[in-house]
Structure formats: C-alpha cells, structure tokens
C-alpha cells in the first residue's frame, strides 16, 4: 500500500526553526513532483513549496527566503526546512506527491495525514 508519512511538526517560538520530513513508501515506480501544503483553521489549503524530480523548486511568496524544500530521490523523501518562523505559519502541513505505480499507469496525487506546526509569539 502506497502512503506518505510526515514527521517533524511541533511547537516553536517565533523566529525558530523546524524541519518537516515526508517519506513515500510502497510499490512506487516513479515520483514526478512532491509538494508541501498547509491549512490553517478557517482557511483554505494552500501550496507552500514544490520540487520536481529534476530538482526545480517554487515557493509561495509568503515563505520565500525562509523555507527551503529539498528531496532525496533515491529514498523517496522530501524535506521542508522552515526558518524564521512566524505565528502566521501555524497550520497543519500536508505532504503531497504525484506518484506513478507502474510504467503503464499515469501519475496520481497522494496525500499524507498532515503534521501540526504551531508557532507561538
């Protein structure tokens, strides 16, 4: 069974850092892209950062210069290094990946269960 599992969330003071990890496991043929989304209470889920299998990255304007996404293709891992955290970064962070399970099937999006990040002022 294919699954994405996040880890690394927690409580941190403003200005602090956290590193989130997401591991994709199961029978995976290839990964086209991996992303981090977040959803704060009462708000829509938003894209935070993305990385392609070729290493191209993009970020939401609100996190540029503070967050860094990176990946380990060999281990099907993606990380989100979050520095200079602000209270408005408080949200549940979700890992998302476009996975192909075989050479003959297209890629489909998969989601992790989410990890809570809370930044206190």
């Amino acid at each position: 069974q294919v699954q994405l599992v996040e880890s690394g969330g927690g409580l941190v003071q403003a200005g602090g850092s956290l590193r989130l990890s997401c591991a994709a496991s199961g029978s995976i043929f290839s990964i086209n892209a991996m992303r981090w989304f977040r959803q704060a209470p009462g708000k829509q889920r938003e894209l935070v950062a993305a990385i392609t299998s070729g290493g191209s990255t993009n970020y939401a304007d609100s996190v540029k210069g503070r967050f860094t996404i990176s990946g380990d293709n060999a281990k099907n891992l993606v990380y989100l290094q979050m520095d200079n955290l602000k209270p408005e970064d408080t949200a549940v962070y979700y890992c998302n990946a476009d996975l192909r399970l075989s050479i003959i099937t297209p890629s489909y999006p998969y989601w992790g269960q989410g990890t809570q990040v809370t930044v206190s002022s």
Side-chain angles (χ1 to χ4, degrees):
Q1 182 177 351
V2 174
Q3 59 178 351
L4 301 179
V5 178
E6 303 104 330
S7 60
L11 173 64
V12 65
Q13 288 188 333
S17 298
L18 283 173
R19 190 174 87 147
L20 305 182
S21 300
C22 173
S25 63
S27 182
I28 299 169
F29 175 74
S30 67
I31 301 178
N32 293 343
M34 298 188 81
R35 308 172 187 89
W36 288 98
F37 286 77
R38 68 185 180 187
Q39 187 166 19
K43 295 187 177 182
Q44 289 188 334
R45 191 171 297 190
E46 62 174 353
L47 176 65
V48 175
I51 186 168
T52 68
S53 57
S56 298
T57 60
N58 66 280
Y59 298 91
D61 287 342
S62 59
V63 306
K64 282 181 181 177
R66 300 189 298 121
F67 290 10
T68 303
I69 189 170
S70 60
D72 185 333
N73 290 342
K75 297 182 179 179
N76 291 342
L77 291 167
V78 66
Y79 306 99
L80 186 67
Q81 177 67 40
M82 305 184 294
D83 298 317
N84 190 22
L85 282 160
K86 303 176 180 180
E88 51 263 43
D89 295 319
T90 296
V92 178
Y93 283 70
Y94 296 91
C95 178
N96 164 271
D98 293 336
L99 308 180
R100 290 183 69 185
L101 304 188
S102 77
I103 196 170
I104 62 171
T105 57
S107 65
Y108 289 99
Y110 287 79
W111 292 88
Q113 80 287 351
T115 185
Q116 177 70 46
V117 171
T118 303
V119 185
S120 63
S121 57

